[in-house]
Amino acid sequence: MRVILAEDSTLLREGLSRLLAEEGHEVVGSFGDAITLLPAVAKTEPDIVVVDVRMPPTHTDEGLRAALRIRRDHPDVGVLILSQHVEKRFTVELLSGDINGVGYVLKDRVVRVEEFLDALERVGDGGSAFDPEVVRQLLSRTSHGDPLATLTDREREVLELMAEGHTNDAIAKRLFVSRSAVEKHVNAIFTKLELTANTDGYSRRVLAVLRYLDS
């Protein structure tokens, strides 16, 4: 997989670069700011860009803005957001469209190498990957008397795993239940959230959840 890294911490950037090279990925670019990132993406067309949210010069949201632009101008390039915190302002905008090839993981997750690599590969292959904490904070945005309140604890667990980008099989393994049990919970969730019954695709399910969260 051809990867571009955009991270202003030289130590983290170099560490990720070495990790990805050791795992057989090709790091085709490594940058410390979003200004040099964008032309590099246009020139090299990588499979995926790993980008920090806060980058020079203001260290506010340059990385997330660059991610939005990459999604707009290069829809075939995957974008995996790295952040110390959940940045809600532009995250909903990033996730409100087609989220195939989009991921958002917290930097704490990077130290869990297998989880980070799994997220990277899922997004690079056109899937989605979201940190459980990101999902929890987005779900909390709509806790004021809405259909989410009608979900059972188990349905909420399934919904959170769906929003993280897991398939029904993966959810079943994590919750130690059968696939059919997960499918029943998924159908119940769609019914309670008044979502259409044809949201069978994994990315469509996540998109439906995030659209609901944005409502």
Side-chain angles (χ1 to χ4, degrees):
M1 191 174 294
R2 300 172 71 250
V3 185
I4 281 183
L5 296 174
E7 164 61 56
D8 64 312
S9 167
T10 303
L11 185 62
L12 180 55
R13 190 170 69 245
E14 291 301 318
L16 287 173
S17 182
R18 291 186 181 184
L19 170 66
L20 294 175
E22 290 174 358
E23 292 297 323
H25 301 296
E26 180 184 2
V27 179
V28 297
S30 179
F31 305 95
D33 62 80
I35 297 174
T36 52
L37 165 65
L38 293 174
V41 172
K43 182 178 180 180
T44 62
E45 287 285 337
D47 297 307
I48 183 170
V49 176
V50 180
V51 57
D52 186 15
V53 169
R54 298 181 179 180
M55 301 187 72
T58 68
H59 296 276
T60 54
D61 53 21
E62 284 86 349
L64 199 47
R65 288 175 181 272
L68 288 167
R69 186 165 174 181
I70 292 168
R71 292 296 295 166
R72 184 192 68 195
D73 297 344
H74 309 280
D76 293 333
V77 176
V79 173
L80 180 61
I81 303 294
L82 276 182
S83 180
Q84 199 73 39
H85 310 285
V86 180
E87 305 287 348
K88 294 182 179 178
R89 182 180 175 190
F90 290 108
T91 299
V92 171
E93 181 179 352
L94 178 69
L95 304 180
S96 61
D98 183 355
I99 60 169
N100 287 327
V102 178
Y104 193 128
V105 296
L106 298 181
K107 287 187 176 178
D108 290 346
R109 196 72 55 185
V110 174
V111 299
R112 304 171 191 175
V113 174
E114 290 186 0
E115 292 184 24
F116 171 71
L117 291 174
D118 175 65
L120 179 91
E121 291 171 3
R122 277 198 280 159
V123 173
D125 288 338
S128 306
F130 298 97
D131 191 289
E133 183 57 28
V134 174
V135 175
R136 272 193 289 272
Q137 292 199 29
L138 291 176
L139 284 171
S140 68
R141 297 174 65 245
T142 58
S143 58
H144 47 281
D146 56 60
L148 279 176
T150 67
L151 301 182
T152 66
D153 290 344
R154 178 61 90 185
E155 289 166 353
R156 195 175 183 90
E157 285 182 290
V158 171
L159 176 61
E160 291 181 359
L161 290 169
M162 286 166 53
E164 290 171 24
H166 295 289
T167 64
N168 283 357
D169 286 336
I171 294 172
K173 289 180 181 178
R174 284 173 176 260
L175 298 181
F176 302 102
V177 298
S178 67
R179 179 192 171 104
S180 63
V182 172
E183 291 172 345
K184 289 180 181 177
H185 289 310
V186 170
N187 288 331
I189 291 167
F190 285 141
T191 298
K192 291 182 178 180
L193 300 189
E194 300 180 351
L195 298 172
T196 58
N198 60 351
T199 54
D200 294 329
Y202 138 73
S203 61
R204 288 178 183 270
R205 298 186 316 172
V206 178
L207 179 59
V209 170
L210 293 172
R211 281 179 175 171
Y212 171 78
L213 294 174
D214 194 33
S215 65

